[in-house]
Amino acid sequence: MLVKSFLSVKMVSQHQSKDSGSKKNGGKELGMVTPQEKSSKKMKFASSSTEAEPTSTTTISDDSKSGRGMSTMPRVVKRKLQKLRPIVEYNKRGKGIGQAHSEMQSYIGVLARSRVPLVDMKWAQIPKDIKEQIWEAVDIAFVVGQGGKNSVLASAAKKWEDFKSTLTRHYILPYTNDRERLSQPPETYKFIEKAQWDAFVASRLSKDFESVHSQHAQIREKLEYNH
């Protein structure tokens, strides 16, 4: 009787050890996949907390697709609250690469469109305090790295000029005979103030702009290759 009980206990314990061994091996025998085996995009982050003297670096998985425009804003705001700044990475030629760089460029575009007035000016004429606000907003949200402030503002300048060009080509010039259509900013860009929009439309419909636009069009037609 004692021998029977002893053998029974031994068999149970061996069965349990097999089960625990299976769990230790990541549950592969049950067809389970461990988190480490899942492929995911990763971005490096630096803590923006001022309490710690050294900058702590960590890697956080981000499976979400890289967003553009306004869709980038919620992610940036959330990370700001968490005091996390994605580290923008660069290749050997100094060109920005990776998800953090893409998100930073989208964020710069949002700032350039929403914070810089829609005026018929050159970037050099834009007040310095507006440019400083853009740089500070980006610097708080990302570890910029190479180029720093100069590269961020250069990118903002191009995105702002491109934005004005897009508005001119797609939302103004095709509707020169439809003044009612031009009376309000496009639905896509509701953040544009009406007074700024009216002034910008007037500048684009002026004879001076028409003359310059025509000259540029003729130059483009003569080019053998696209720029």
Side-chain angles (χ1 to χ4, degrees), residues 154-165:
S155 178
K158 185 180 185 309
K159 286 173 170 55
W160 183 66
E161 293 291 356
D162 288 347
F163 178 51
K164 293 197 297 179
S165 178

Side-chain angles (χ1 to χ4, degrees), residues 18-38:
K18 282 183 181 180
D19 286 346
S20 63
S22 175
K23 290 177 182 176
K24 285 179 182 178
N25 289 332
K28 291 183 180 178
E29 288 151 358
L30 298 176
M32 296 173 64
V33 180
T34 60
Q36 289 81 1
E37 292 174 345
K38 293 181 180 179

Side-chain angles (χ1 to χ4, degrees), residues 77-94:
V77 171
K78 183 179 179 180
R79 289 197 295 253
K80 279 185 178 181
L81 294 173
Q82 295 173 333
K83 298 187 181 298
L84 292 173
R85 297 163 70 208
I87 300 173
V88 180
E89 297 180 286
Y90 300 83
N91 62 19
K92 292 179 180 179
R93 290 179 291 180

Side-chain angles (χ1 to χ4, degrees), residues 128-182:
K128 290 182 178 179
D129 62 325
I130 293 177
K131 297 175 184 177
E132 195 65 30
Q133 288 173 16
I134 292 175
W135 160 243
E136 288 176 357
V138 175
D139 188 42
I140 290 172
F142 297 88
V143 178
V144 180
Q146 293 184 27
K149 184 177 181 179
N150 290 336
S151 67
V152 167
L153 293 183
S155 178
K158 185 180 185 309
K159 286 173 170 55
W160 183 66
E161 293 291 356
D162 288 347
F163 178 51
K164 293 197 297 179
S165 178
T166 297
L167 291 174
T168 302
R169 288 184 291 109
H170 295 289
Y171 298 97
I172 297 178
L173 296 183
Y175 307 105
T176 53
N177 297 321
D178 188 353
R179 293 305 175 108
E180 185 177 348
R181 182 75 174 263
L182 297 177

